[in-house]
């Protein structure tokens, strides 16, 4: 539970930090920062993420005698890629190549630092080192808040902010070295066969993520070329906060729910694993529908309270355009993709990502000459929606992994009722009152209808719990195993 809460807090802090940096730098310099930071994430995802995924998958048994060679293989893979990236970046820097005015060496260093941080974080989660993971995240965020914001305020340069953020990440990673390196793993123990296993496991997932990152980076670059850095900064902030908010919540759920499905399959068989995936899908869909609706309804209040003045208005318009596609994308990532992961058919993920890329490109070609920066938001949302539909079509064959249609309709009905009940609160002149009212009334209406309609057996589970008040923990039933 500590890991899940830390994951959520880390995501929330990153959102807050992005807002502060955007407000201090201003739209133009933040647009430069966003493009360079996205390029670093793209490099990290493309070249290192298969090692992070393999760390999570294979590093859980620290007592295994083979764990030292496994760790050595992971370290060898990371070190070799990092060295190659830095050498290439130095060559490109010598040729005068940069990313939105930021030296390419800084982008490469940031990518390597972020990859090392994610590698260590995945290792801590796999080994259930809750305190180590908490310290790793807390130290990085504390340093970034103090040093990163100070760099933005004092220097006003995207390049300096990126450099300082990379330094904070490296320092935080070094603080957990003693905790995670208790068992020696000399690089001489690294095995090519294990590295090949890591690649076969992680590369299909990485390939899909890479396509989605490429969509994001391409749209931002087109925004800079067509409308200037200031407009691109407006789109970047709306995209960053909207996607990060929903992805972070979905990923936090996935940290627990997917592992639960794996456990159920290992303990009770394939059918039990499929039933758990169906329950997980319903939970993920219900949470995303609630959060997406609340985000749209509360947008005027959120803008007034948290969004820097230079971004208001455009932020709300762009974010609302992005919400449907982002909700669909997150549902595919954390509700549908586990079907393919359990069955080993991860190649499908690349196909759905390519569908998203094709639709995004087509929409950009259609709307860019006729629309402003909003056209790029429409194209991005349309591409994400197309990718989700492609994944849904492929997953439709696994009927045992889907929740009953009645439960899905109950979630949609509750979402519509919540939107209708809370929409008048958008006109309140007091932002805090509108925000709190949306949260309270939305939760009451949404939760009440889900219970009333018995979505996923929720009402039955509550009745069983009330009938046995002395029971510690939630009552378990076939429908509510994930809760």
């Amino acid at each position: 539970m500590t890991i899940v809460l830390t994951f959520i807090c880390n995501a929330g802090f990153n959102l807050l930090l992005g807002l502060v940096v955007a407000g201090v730098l201003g739209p133009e310099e933040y647009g430069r920062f966003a493009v360079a930071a996205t390029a670093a994430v793209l490099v990290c995802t493309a070249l290192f993420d298969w090692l992070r995924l393999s760390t999570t998958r294979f590093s859980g048994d620290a007592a295994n005698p083979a764990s030292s060679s496994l760790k050595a293989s992971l370290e060898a893979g990371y070190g070799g890629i990092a060295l190659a990236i830095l050498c290439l970046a130095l060559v490109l820097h010598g040729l005068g190549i940069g990313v939105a005015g930021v030296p390419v060496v800084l982008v490469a260093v940031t990518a390597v630092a972020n990859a090392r941080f994610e590698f260590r974080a995945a290792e801590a989660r796999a080994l259930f080192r809750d305190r180590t993971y908490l310290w790793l995240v807390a130290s990085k965020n504390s340093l970034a808040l103090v040093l990163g914001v100070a760099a933005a305020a004092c220097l006003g340069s995207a390049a300096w902010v990126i450099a300082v953020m990379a330094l904070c990440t490296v320092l935080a990673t070094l603080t957990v070295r003693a905790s995670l390196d208790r068992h020696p793993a000399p690089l001489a123990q690294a095995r090519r066969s294990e590295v090949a296993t890591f690649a076969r496991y992680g590369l299909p997932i990485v390939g899909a993520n890479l396509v989605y990152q490429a969509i994001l980076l391409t749209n931002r670059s087109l925004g800079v070329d067509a409308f200037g850095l200031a407009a691109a900064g407006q789109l970047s902030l709306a995209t960053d906060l909207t996607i990060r908010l929903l992805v972070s919540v979905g990923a936090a759920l996935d940290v627990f729910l997917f592992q639960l499905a794996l456990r159920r399959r290992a303990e009770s068989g394939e059918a039990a694993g499929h039933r758990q995936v169906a329950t997980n899908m319903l939970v993920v869909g219900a949470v995303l529908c609630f959060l997406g609706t609340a985000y749209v309804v509360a947008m005027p209040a959120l803008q007034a309270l948290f969004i820097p003045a230079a971004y208001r208005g455009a932020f709300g318009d762009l974010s609302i355009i992005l919400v449907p596609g982002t909700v669909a994308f997150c549902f595919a990532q954390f509700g549908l993709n586990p079907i393919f992961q359990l069955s080993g058919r991860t190649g499908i993920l690349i196909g759905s990502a390519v569908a998203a890329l094709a639709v995004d490109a087509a929409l950009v070609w259609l709307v860019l000459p006729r629309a402003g920066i909003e056209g790029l938001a429409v194209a991005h949302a349309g591409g994400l929606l197309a990718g989700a539909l492609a994944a849904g079509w492929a997953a439709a064959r696994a009927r045992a992994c889907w929740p009953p249609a009645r439960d899905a309709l109950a979630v949609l009905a509750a979402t519509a009722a919540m939107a209708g009940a809370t929409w008048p609160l958008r006109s309140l002149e007091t932002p805090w009152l509108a925000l709190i009212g949306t949260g309270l009334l939305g939760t009451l209406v949404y939760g009440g209808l889900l219970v009333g309609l018995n979505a996923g057996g929720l009402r039955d589970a509550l009745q069983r719990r009330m009938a046995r008040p002395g029971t510690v923990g939630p009552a378990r039933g076939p429908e509510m195993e994930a809760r």
Side-chain angles (χ1 to χ4, degrees):
M1 192 62 177
T2 300
I3 288 178
V4 175
L5 292 176
T6 303
F7 190 96
I8 294 174
C9 291
N10 179 55
F13 185 90
N14 286 334
L15 290 175
L16 176 62
L17 184 62
L19 281 173
V20 175
V21 171
V24 174
L25 287 179
E28 182 172 343
E29 201 64 23
Y30 180 74
R32 195 187 313 278
F33 171 84
V35 171
T38 302
V41 171
L42 181 61
V43 172
C44 181
T45 301
L47 300 180
F48 289 103
D49 213 37
W50 60 282
L51 289 170
R52 179 188 64 82
L53 292 166
S54 299
T55 302
T56 303
R57 171 64 179 83
F58 298 109
S59 295
D61 187 6
N64 190 334
S67 62
S68 60
S69 65
L70 185 148
K71 183 176 176 63
S73 299
L74 289 169
E75 293 281 6
Y78 173 86
I81 295 173
L83 181 62
I85 289 175
L86 294 176
C87 291
L88 178 60
L90 288 173
V91 173
L92 295 177
H93 181 73
L95 297 175
I97 297 175
V99 180
V102 176
V104 70
V105 172
L106 282 181
V107 176
V109 169
T110 301
V112 171
N114 289 341
R116 188 63 177 176
F117 175 86
E118 294 297 337
F119 172 72
R120 288 303 205 182
E123 192 175 13
R125 293 195 300 266
L127 296 173
F128 297 98
R129 302 274 175 81
D130 293 14
R131 292 183 180 180
T132 301
Y133 181 64
L134 175 60
W135 173 258
L136 178 64
V137 171
S139 57
K140 177 195 172 186
N141 288 342
S142 299
L143 289 170
L145 180 62
V146 175
L147 300 180
V149 174
C154 297
L155 303 173
S157 166
W160 274 108
V161 174
I162 287 177
V164 171
M165 292 289 193
L167 176 62
C168 295
T169 303
V170 171
L171 293 175
T173 304
L174 291 175
T175 63
V176 300
R177 180 177 179 180
S179 174
L180 294 176
D181 291 339
R182 296 174 182 173
H183 303 281
L187 291 180
Q189 295 184 10
R191 298 176 181 175
R192 292 183 180 179
S193 59
E194 289 187 332
V195 175
T197 298
F198 303 153
R200 287 192 298 270
Y201 173 78
L203 284 180
I205 303 173
V206 170
N209 291 336
L210 178 60
V211 173
Y212 283 112
Q213 291 291 342
I215 292 172
L216 182 62
L217 182 60
T218 301
N219 286 348
R220 286 184 175 179
S221 298
L222 289 173
V224 171
D225 292 339
F227 308 110
L229 282 169
Q234 296 277 8
L235 178 62
S236 296
L237 185 63
T239 304
D240 283 348
L241 294 189
T242 303
I243 293 180
R244 283 184 183 179
L245 174 65
L246 293 167
V247 168
S248 297
V249 172
L253 291 172
D254 190 60
V255 166
F256 169 70
L257 293 177
F258 183 62
Q259 293 300 319
L260 183 60
L262 290 174
R263 182 188 303 173
R264 291 285 293 158
R265 186 180 68 165
E267 294 177 349
S268 305
E270 196 76 21
H274 290 168
R275 288 194 298 271
Q276 191 62 56
V277 170
T279 301
N280 294 353
M281 190 186 300
L282 184 64
V283 173
V284 169
V287 172
L288 290 174
C289 285
F290 173 83
L291 191 61
T293 303
Y295 186 63
V296 170
V297 172
M299 185 57 65
L302 291 172
Q303 283 198 112
L305 291 171
F306 303 112
I307 304 303
Y311 297 85
R312 291 175 190 166
F315 176 86
D317 295 339
L318 293 170
S319 296
I320 291 174
I321 292 172
L322 289 165
V323 164
T326 306
V327 169
F329 167 76
C330 291
F331 178 74
Q333 288 287 305
F334 309 113
L336 299 178
N337 287 4
I339 296 175
F340 310 127
Q341 291 172 276
L342 284 177
S343 64
R345 297 183 297 143
T346 52
I348 293 174
L349 305 183
I350 298 178
S352 63
V354 170
L357 176 62
V359 171
D360 179 87
L363 289 175
V364 167
W365 181 75
L366 288 172
V367 305
L368 195 58
R370 304 175 181 83
I373 199 70
E374 293 84 1
L376 287 177
V378 171
H380 196 173
L384 294 178
L385 182 59
L389 290 174
W393 179 80
R397 303 174 185 175
R399 296 182 181 179
C401 294
W402 286 79
R406 179 186 180 281
D407 291 338
L409 291 174
V411 170
L412 295 177
T415 301
M418 173 191 169
T422 57
W423 196 263
L425 298 177
R426 290 170 59 91
S427 60
L428 292 178
E429 296 182 358
T430 306
W432 279 113
L433 182 60
L435 187 61
I436 294 172
T438 299
L440 293 177
L441 181 59
T443 301
L444 181 64
V445 172
Y446 192 75
L449 272 176
L450 289 182
V451 173
L453 296 173
N454 198 28
L458 183 59
R459 185 179 64 216
D460 294 340
L462 291 175
Q463 289 175 345
R464 287 194 298 270
R465 181 176 177 84
M466 293 175 65
R468 294 185 293 171
T471 302
V472 178
R476 288 179 173 263
E479 307 91 341
M480 298 300 297
E481 199 63 46
R483 294 168 178 77

